[in-house]
């Protein structure tokens, strides 16, 4: 594991934890490598919510279980974290917030810190989160001027007085923080390349805009709602039609209507909402109307754990919809891939006239991380819409297997699309031979679209005996493990396109002694797909389904158990 | 062949004597008289006997899922407001399976015509009750007779602020055509509920039953008076036919969209600049 400082802020919903998280991440990223995750209860006020920020001299991308520095923001912010404090953990907070028995038992250190009193001193209790931002910045000796600049940017619309009050609060916190030392010494990273701090939600939003998305219809459902909100925020700037649908069924049907008319549409939802969309996925299949579907996983079944993370809906997405038809499923594991694959999703949906899925989860969407500078190209904005001629046939059988897609009102032809089995012109048919031809045409695209397969990435040595396989958000923790383990015979295969799987993936499994699939679910859904689709023998499954992401310590321990 | 007409040899899947034939004739005449190009007309339909209509009219269509004609229709219209969009289906399709879309698209007031063939019975699935079936109507499923109150689509539409509510009877070709024409021309959401007999599965609400249990509102009727319209549609002793409510000037969904306030170019003809997207990635 990378040497890092893990700071946890523990409070309740409504205390502004997210604001401190964003401010600290931006401030700290100037000198350190940073990564943050949150654990949020499904409530609007109260409860116990935490934010974890990891700071390191090397890149970090994983959740760490053990807390080095803990800030308690109310009197019920410790009880859920007892397991995570250890000898050496330094706890800050009001004396009434801490259970001294825990401190003694765990041999941690407690420092009294009254943030509220400092906030009052600065002018208002509402400034508490800025005082804390200042305190931590002071302790870590972050450049004060750049923090001031951040405050100016953040509150620029709220006037000089608000900015001044916030700077005063920050300075008060900062001066106090200077009196303390961090329990883990982290040196500022030298020659750190500036990076962009963002979360997975924003990454998927930006990628979708880069893919030409100009229509989104969705029904809110955590953790998928963020993408809807992000596109709404950008809708004026990028001319995106945003509509909150009456239900998920309407949402995907709207998106199909939009693509049929010539737009590039998407839905964003979570497993339960997606379950309602399944019939429309099948409609996309038979009508060969493209669509992009973002499924943000959270633990199920049913309502499950609405604000936590899981990778339990892979099978749902791969098999969703009645009948047989091809689809593409991307599972980005890092921010750059979340951007790039979301962009590519729109292009491939258009090119092959199939549903394309972006399969994410709460952990990817809501963690803040660093993304290296990247630029998108306009290749993926290429449109595959044909101007129609008179007597145009929407489902004409062509040599290359793709029927040119016209849209209504563009050209002299008529665009006739039917969810019944249809002939080349789009008329309903019950002719068995036509049925076979049309079914073959659709299914053959499943082979064709492998030409655009998004290759898996091997992280670690090419000479490996043990191969760890992961997809989606386990990327960060598995990469950190492989990069920091002392073993040199372990590598990590990060699969970004989980369906369909390209036969060439089999090469990674040749001559390997031990295949270990790590998944954030209880049944090893991807391990099963590997067996089914590629006949890969999986030796071990390392699974977690508590609702939390894997921590780096847990991965180290559980992988060591199966690598020997 | 005249515009919108299909080859006379087309095998039509409706029963002989079905009210759908007349609705089709009325619809084609309405479109011809409105002088619209078939390339600019899109039908969006669900599943059912009524929803097969687009198969027998030469225009663009998206024949999708049962109950889902409306969400597809409104997205087409919003993506390209220059198209004339008609959502069409039966009472089960639009009021049963698609009930939620019916409610919320009235609220949206998208500029579409919504044509619902209402024969008070399920045809394609062979004779079960529909949301508009009358009480005591016996079917293979409701063997002791329907016990639910019949759905009143016109009252629902009026209560949700529909700007055009009409009812027709397929037995009267001329009037049906006229009401459809007015609905297509109307700016905003326009509901036309069309009574028609199902000769195979509804032996109770026959051609004669509809004829004897309906009447046209006359010239003295003021279709801009919401209270009067509500009165008419709530009275089911005899059913009022005609344009029962119409108000002009209420902004449509598309007009209110930020995207179309200053520029009416359909979004599908606007381009995305990748340089601008890259600004989002700037550090």
């Amino acid at each position: 594991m990378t040497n890092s400082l893990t700071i946890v802020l523990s409070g309740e919903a409504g205390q502004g934890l997210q604001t401190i998280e964003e401010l600290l991440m931006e401030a700290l990223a100037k000198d350190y490598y940073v990564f943050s995750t949150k654990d949020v209860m499904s409530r609007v006020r109260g409860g116990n919510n935490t934010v974890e920020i990891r700071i390191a001299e090397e890149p970090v991308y994983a959740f760490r279980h053990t807390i080095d520095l803990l800030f308690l923001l109310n009197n019920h912010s410790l009880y859920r974290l007892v397991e995570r404090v250890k000898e050496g953990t330094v706890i800050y907070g009001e004396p009434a917030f801490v259970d001294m028995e825990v401190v003694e038992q765990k041999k941690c250190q407690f420092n009294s810190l009254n943030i509220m009193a400092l906030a009052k001193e600065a002018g208002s209790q509402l400034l508490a989160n800025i005082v804390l931002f200042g305190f931590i910045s002071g302790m870590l000796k972050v450049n004060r001027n750049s923090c001031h600049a951040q405050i100016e940017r953040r509150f620029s619309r709220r006037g000089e007085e608000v900015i001044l009050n916030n700077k005063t609060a920050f300075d008060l916190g900062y001066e106090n923080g200077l009196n303390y030392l961090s329990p883990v010494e982290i040196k500022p990273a030298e020659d750190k390349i500036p990076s962009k701090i963002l979360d997975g939600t924003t990454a998927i939003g930006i990628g979708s805009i880069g893919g030409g998305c100009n229509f989104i219809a969705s029904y809110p459902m955590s953790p998928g709602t963020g993408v809807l909100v992000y596109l709404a925020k950008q809708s004026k700037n990028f001319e995106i039609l945003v509509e909150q649908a009456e239900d998920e069924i309407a949402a995907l049907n709207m998106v199909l209507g939009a693509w049929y008319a010539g737009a590039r549409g998407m839905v964003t939802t979570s497993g339960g909402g997606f379950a309602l969309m399944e019939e429309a996925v099948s409609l996309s299949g038979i009508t060969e109307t493209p669509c992009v579907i973002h499924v943000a996983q959270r633990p199920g079944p049913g309502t499950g754990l609405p604000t936590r993370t899981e990778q339990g809906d892979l099978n749902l997405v791969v098999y969703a919809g009645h009948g047989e038809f091809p689809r593409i499923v991307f599972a980005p594991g890092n921010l750059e891939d979340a951007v790039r694959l979301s962009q590519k999703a729109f292009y491939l949906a258009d090119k092959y006239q199939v549903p394309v899925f972006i399969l994410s989860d709460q952990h990817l969407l809501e963690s803040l991380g660093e993304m290296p500078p990247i630029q998108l190209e306009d290749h993926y904005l290429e449109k595959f819409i044909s101007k129609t001629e008179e007597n145009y046939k929407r489902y004409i059988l062509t040599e290359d297997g793709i029927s040119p897609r016209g849209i209504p009102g563009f050209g002299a032809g008529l665009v006739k699309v039917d969810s019944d089995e249809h002939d080349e012109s789009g008329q309903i048919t019950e002719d068995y031979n036509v049925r076979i031809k049309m079914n073959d045409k659709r299914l053959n695209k499943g082979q064709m679209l492998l030409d655009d397969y998004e290759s898996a990435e091997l992280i670690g040595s090419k000479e490996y005996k043990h191969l760890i396989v992961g997809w989606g958000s386990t990327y960060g923790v598995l990469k950190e493990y492989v990069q920091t383990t002392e073993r040199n015979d372990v590598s990590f295969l990060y699969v970004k396109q989980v369906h369909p799987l390209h036969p060439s993936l089999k090469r990674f499994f040749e001559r390997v002694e031990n295949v270990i699939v790590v998944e954030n679910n209880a049944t090893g859904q991807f391990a099963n797909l590997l067996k089914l689709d590629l006949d890969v023998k999986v030796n071990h499954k390392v699974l977690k389904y508590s609702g939390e992401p894997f921590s780096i310590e847990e991965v180290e321990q559980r992988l060591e158990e199966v690598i020997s | 062949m005249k515009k919108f007409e299909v080859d006379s040899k087309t095998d039509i899947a409706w029963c002989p004597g079905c009210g759908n034939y007349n609705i089709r004739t009325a619809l084609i005449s309405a479109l011809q008289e409105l002088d619209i190009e078939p390339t600019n007309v899109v039908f969006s339909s669900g599943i059912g006997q009524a929803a097969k209509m687009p198969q027998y009219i030469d225009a663009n269509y998206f024949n999708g899922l049962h109950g889902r004609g409306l969400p597809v229709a409104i997205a087409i219209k919003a993506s390209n407001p220059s198209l004339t969009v008609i959502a069409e289906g039966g009472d089960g399709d639009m009021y049963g399976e698609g009930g939620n879309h019916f409610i919320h698209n009235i609220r949206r007031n998208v500029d579409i015509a919504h044509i619902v063939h209402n024969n008070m019975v399920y045809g394609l699935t062979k004779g079960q009750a529909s949301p508009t079936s009358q009480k005591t109507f016996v079917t293979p499923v409701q063997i002791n007779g329907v016990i639910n109150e019949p759905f009143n689509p016109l009252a629902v539409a009026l209560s949700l602020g529909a700007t055009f509510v009409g009812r027709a009877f397929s037995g009267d070709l001329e009037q049906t055509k006229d009401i459809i024409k007015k609905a297509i021309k109307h700016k905003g959401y326009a509901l036309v509920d069309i009574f028609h007999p199902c000769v195979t599965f509804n032996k109770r609400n026959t051609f004669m039953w509809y004829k004897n249990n309906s009447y046209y509102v006359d010239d003295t009727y003021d279709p801009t008076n919401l209270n009067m319209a509500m009165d008419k549609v709530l009275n089911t002793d005899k059913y009022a036919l005609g344009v029962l409510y119409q108000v002009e000037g209420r902004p449509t969904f598309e007009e209110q969209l930020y995207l179309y306030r200053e520029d009416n170019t359909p979004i599908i003809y606007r381009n995305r600049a990748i340089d601008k997207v890259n600004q989002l990635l700037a550090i």
Side-chain angles (χ1 to χ4, degrees):
Chain A
M1 152 182 8
T2 307
N3 182 39
S4 67
L5 169 70
T6 303
I7 305 173
V8 169
L9 315 174
S10 180
E12 65 184 71
Q15 281 188 318
L17 285 176
Q18 203 175 332
T19 307
I20 316 178
E21 179 190 15
E22 287 165 12
L23 288 166
L24 273 173
M25 283 291 282
E26 195 185 326
L28 295 168
K30 292 194 169 58
D31 294 324
Y32 307 101
Y33 289 94
V34 289
F35 178 77
S36 75
T37 51
K38 28 185 151 326
D39 180 72
V40 173
M41 282 185 154
S42 183
R43 50 196 289 176
V44 177
R45 288 282 181 272
N48 174 234
N49 291 351
T50 60
V51 164
E52 169 180 311
I53 300 175
R54 266 183 92 196
I55 303 164
E57 292 160 27
E58 305 285 330
V60 276
Y61 339 81
F63 164 66
R64 188 163 165 251
H65 187 255
T66 311
I67 301 170
D68 299 313
L69 200 50
L70 173 61
F71 291 89
L72 302 177
L73 303 184
N74 63 25
N75 60 6
H76 51 98
S77 50
L78 179 60
Y79 73 104
R80 284 170 65 92
L81 301 174
V82 173
E83 274 183 38
R84 296 179 57 192
V85 297
K86 43 131 208 185
E87 186 174 351
T89 300
V90 183
I91 302 174
Y92 289 84
E94 293 180 35
F97 296 172
V98 73
D99 179 349
M100 285 313 288
E101 261 179 49
V102 172
V103 172
E104 276 157 31
Q105 206 176 14
K106 295 272 185 168
K107 294 182 183 148
C108 29
Q109 189 191 324
F110 174 71
N111 291 334
S112 177
L113 172 67
N114 194 329
I115 290 289
M116 276 302 166
L118 289 174
K120 263 188 217 164
E121 196 185 324
S124 163
Q125 292 196 353
L126 294 173
L127 295 165
N129 51 8
I130 302 298
V131 172
L132 186 54
F133 170 40
F135 186 89
I136 297 171
S137 302
M139 181 190 283
L140 297 171
K141 303 190 178 50
V142 178
N143 183 304
R144 192 193 295 225
N145 290 337
S146 69
C147 294
H148 279 187
Q150 252 183 283
I151 289 171
E152 281 166 20
R153 280 197 301 278
R154 193 168 183 105
F155 298 104
S156 63
R157 286 194 199 149
R158 300 189 32 203
E160 282 302 317
E161 199 186 333
V162 172
I163 292 173
L164 191 66
N165 290 344
N166 277 283
K167 280 186 187 169
T168 308
F170 175 87
D171 286 345
L172 194 60
Y174 196 93
E175 296 297 338
N176 274 275
L178 285 173
N179 300 329
Y180 296 90
L181 280 177
S182 164
V184 182
E185 196 195 347
I186 306 292
K187 292 194 190 90
E190 280 171 29
D191 305 327
K192 184 172 181 278
I193 298 165
S195 62
K196 184 167 180 67
I197 303 285
L198 74 169
D199 60 12
T201 295
T202 308
I204 289 171
I206 294 173
S208 299
I209 296 172
C213 177
N214 55 8
F215 188 105
I216 182 167
S218 290
Y219 189 90
M221 183 170 183
S222 295
T225 315
V227 172
L228 176 64
V229 172
Y230 183 78
L231 289 190
K233 192 173 113 187
Q234 298 295 344
S235 64
K236 289 185 181 180
N237 208 5
F238 289 96
E239 303 181 287
I240 303 163
L241 204 160
V242 179
E243 180 60 1
Q244 183 173 324
E246 55 271 26
D247 54 40
E248 283 87 351
I249 298 173
L252 188 51
N253 276 281
M254 284 181 192
V255 163
L256 294 177
W259 276 93
Y260 167 76
R264 280 190 168 188
M266 78 182 296
V267 293
T268 175
T269 185
S270 185
F274 176 64
L276 290 173
M277 297 179 180
E278 282 201 56
E279 193 188 19
V281 177
S282 182
L283 177 65
S284 164
I286 193 160
T287 60
E288 303 190 61
T289 306
C291 60
V292 174
I293 301 169
H294 171 226
V295 179
Q297 298 168 103
R298 72 191 213 189
T303 308
L305 291 168
T307 56
R308 301 316 205 286
T309 202
E310 194 160 280
Q311 295 182 305
D313 296 332
L314 175 63
N315 283 338
L316 174 70
V317 162
V318 168
Y319 297 115
H322 53 292
E324 299 168 296
F325 56 92
R327 73 195 71 199
I328 296 168
V329 184
F330 289 133
N334 60 45
L335 296 163
E336 184 174 344
D337 284 338
V339 174
R340 291 196 185 282
L341 296 179
S342 300
Q343 188 195 25
K344 189 176 174 182
F346 288 84
Y347 168 81
L348 293 185
D350 203 349
K351 184 174 178 184
Y352 295 110
Q353 305 174 15
V354 294
V356 181
F357 292 86
I358 303 159
L359 185 60
S360 73
D361 58 29
Q362 183 271 335
H363 183 50
L364 178 80
L365 292 169
E366 295 182 2
S367 298
L368 285 172
E370 297 187 64
M371 185 171 76
I374 62 168
Q375 290 268 300
L376 297 178
E377 285 166 22
D378 58 9
H379 168 62
Y380 288 140
L381 290 173
E382 181 186 350
K383 287 180 184 166
F384 295 85
I385 291 172
S386 308
K387 191 165 187 170
T388 57
E389 311 264 326
E390 226 174 314
N391 299 319
Y392 165 78
K393 288 184 170 144
R394 170 66 185 89
Y395 298 108
I396 196 162
L397 297 165
T398 59
E399 260 181 42
D400 72 358
I402 302 271
S403 311
R405 192 168 68 90
I407 58 171
F410 184 56
L414 296 173
V415 185
K416 300 183 174 186
V417 163
D418 211 298
S419 75
D420 282 78
E421 190 56 273
H422 41 256
D423 62 16
E424 288 182 290
S425 68
Q427 289 286 133
I428 294 179
T429 185
E430 295 189 36
D431 181 314
Y432 295 131
N433 292 320
V434 176
R435 155 69 179 180
I436 291 168
K437 280 186 185 146
M438 285 295 156
N439 216 32
D440 286 347
K441 172 169 91 100
R442 292 188 293 266
L443 285 169
N444 285 341
K445 294 189 294 182
Q447 193 60 37
M448 291 164 63
L449 49 82
L450 286 174
D451 290 350
D452 282 294
Y453 187 76
E454 183 68 26
S455 300
E457 194 177 313
L458 185 75
I459 296 159
S461 157
K462 284 197 177 99
E463 308 295 319
Y464 52 86
K465 282 190 208 156
H466 307 273
L467 184 63
I468 303 163
V469 185
W471 56 280
S473 74
T474 53
Y475 165 87
V477 73
L478 296 176
K479 180 174 179 177
E480 185 168 332
Y481 169 75
V482 165
Q483 287 185 338
T484 54
T485 179
E486 282 170 13
R487 305 189 70 102
N488 53 16
D489 56 355
V490 185
S491 293
F492 163 40
L493 186 67
Y494 159 41
V495 182
K496 308 176 187 187
Q497 181 176 334
V498 288
H499 179 86
L501 293 174
H502 199 289
S504 68
L505 278 178
K506 283 188 75 114
R507 72 184 188 278
F508 291 107
F509 299 93
E510 285 162 6
R511 295 183 300 275
V512 59
E513 284 176 18
N514 187 11
V515 175
I516 307 149
V517 178
V518 181
E519 296 184 66
N520 227 176
N521 60 42
T523 56
Q525 296 182 19
F526 187 66
N528 296 341
L529 277 190
L530 278 176
K531 175 68 186 164
L532 201 62
D533 293 355
L534 300 179
D535 199 24
V536 167
K537 183 173 176 282
V538 174
N539 302 83
H540 297 282
K541 293 186 226 177
V542 174
L543 307 172
K544 181 172 187 180
Y545 47 91
S546 62
E548 295 169 290
F550 280 100
S551 68
I552 181 66
E553 301 99 314
E554 185 177 16
V555 156
E556 280 175 351
Q557 185 210 327
R558 293 184 62 187
L559 285 176
E560 294 300 332
E561 283 166 16
V562 294
I563 299 173
S564 50
Chain B
M1 226 164 16
K2 285 165 77 180
K3 280 176 189 171
F4 297 103
E5 287 175 358
V6 294
D7 193 332
S8 59
K9 282 177 284 186
T10 304
D11 176 23
I12 294 186
W14 296 323
C15 308
C18 177
N20 284 331
Y21 287 99
N22 255 11
I23 299 176
R24 171 171 169 263
T25 307
L27 188 50
I28 289 177
S29 305
L31 289 165
Q32 287 169 341
E33 288 177 21
L34 286 170
D35 202 23
I36 325 173
E37 284 306 311
T39 49
N40 264 331
V41 175
V42 185
F43 282 91
S44 169
S45 62
I47 297 298
Q49 294 294 24
K52 285 181 184 158
M53 182 65 83
Q55 295 281 317
Y56 313 129
I57 293 182
D58 200 36
N60 298 289
Y61 63 75
F62 189 103
N63 182 25
L65 299 171
H66 188 53
R68 318 301 168 203
L70 278 175
V72 172
I74 68 111
I76 294 168
K77 183 69 184 180
S79 300
N80 185 354
S82 70
L83 298 169
T84 297
V85 179
I86 300 169
E88 187 143 4
D91 40 346
D93 195 10
M94 293 297 185
Y95 303 147
E97 189 86 18
N100 203 26
H101 314 310
F102 177 57
I103 291 172
H104 294 285
N105 285 305
I106 295 167
R107 294 176 51 230
R108 283 193 181 96
N109 195 33
V110 183
D111 182 16
I112 60 166
H114 186 199
I115 298 175
V116 186
H117 306 204
N118 181 0
N119 57 7
M120 306 186 182
V121 73
Y122 277 29
L124 191 62
T125 56
K126 300 189 191 300
Q128 303 82 9
S130 100
T132 54
S133 290
Q134 298 189 316
K135 286 181 103 165
T136 72
F137 180 59
V138 175
T139 85
V141 175
Q142 288 78 18
I143 57 167
N144 300 311
V146 168
I147 55 174
N148 295 350
E149 279 299 324
F151 185 68
N152 188 331
L154 279 62
V156 169
L158 286 176
S159 71
L160 292 171
T163 52
F164 183 109
V165 171
R167 175 171 267 156
F169 167 46
S170 70
D172 186 338
L173 203 56
E174 269 309 301
Q175 292 274 10
T176 302
K177 179 192 75 185
D178 274 356
I179 296 167
I180 291 174
K181 265 171 79 176
K182 285 175 184 159
I184 294 172
K185 272 163 68 179
H186 177 74
K187 204 180 79 172
Y189 170 82
L191 172 68
V192 185
D193 181 85
I194 308 181
F195 279 156
H196 73 111
C198 173
V199 292
T200 307
F201 295 111
N202 191 339
K203 305 294 187 194
R204 175 160 153 182
N205 308 101
T206 59
F207 183 93
M208 283 314 290
W209 185 91
Y210 285 114
K211 200 167 167 57
N212 294 334
N213 285 282
S214 64
Y215 66 97
Y216 285 99
V217 291
D218 60 23
D219 292 344
T220 62
Y221 180 78
D222 174 13
T224 64
N225 186 325
L226 180 62
N227 289 332
M228 207 152 30
M230 201 51 129
D231 235 31
K232 285 282 177 205
V233 304
L234 287 175
N235 187 341
T236 52
D237 295 337
K238 265 201 164 192
Y239 294 88
L241 302 174
V243 176
L244 302 176
Y245 186 67
Q246 184 174 16
V247 283
E248 300 281 0
R250 204 170 297 165
T252 65
F253 176 78
E254 315 83 274
E255 285 171 339
Q256 294 178 84
L257 287 175
Y258 178 83
L259 290 168
Y260 294 127
R261 281 188 205 161
E262 275 154 32
D263 178 359
N264 60 11
T265 310
I267 54 162
I268 61 164
Y269 296 121
R270 302 183 192 183
N271 290 318
R272 177 77 29 94
I274 204 72
D275 293 348
K276 201 169 161 187
V277 183
N278 278 325
Q279 287 169 16
L280 298 173
L281 293 164
I283 291 160

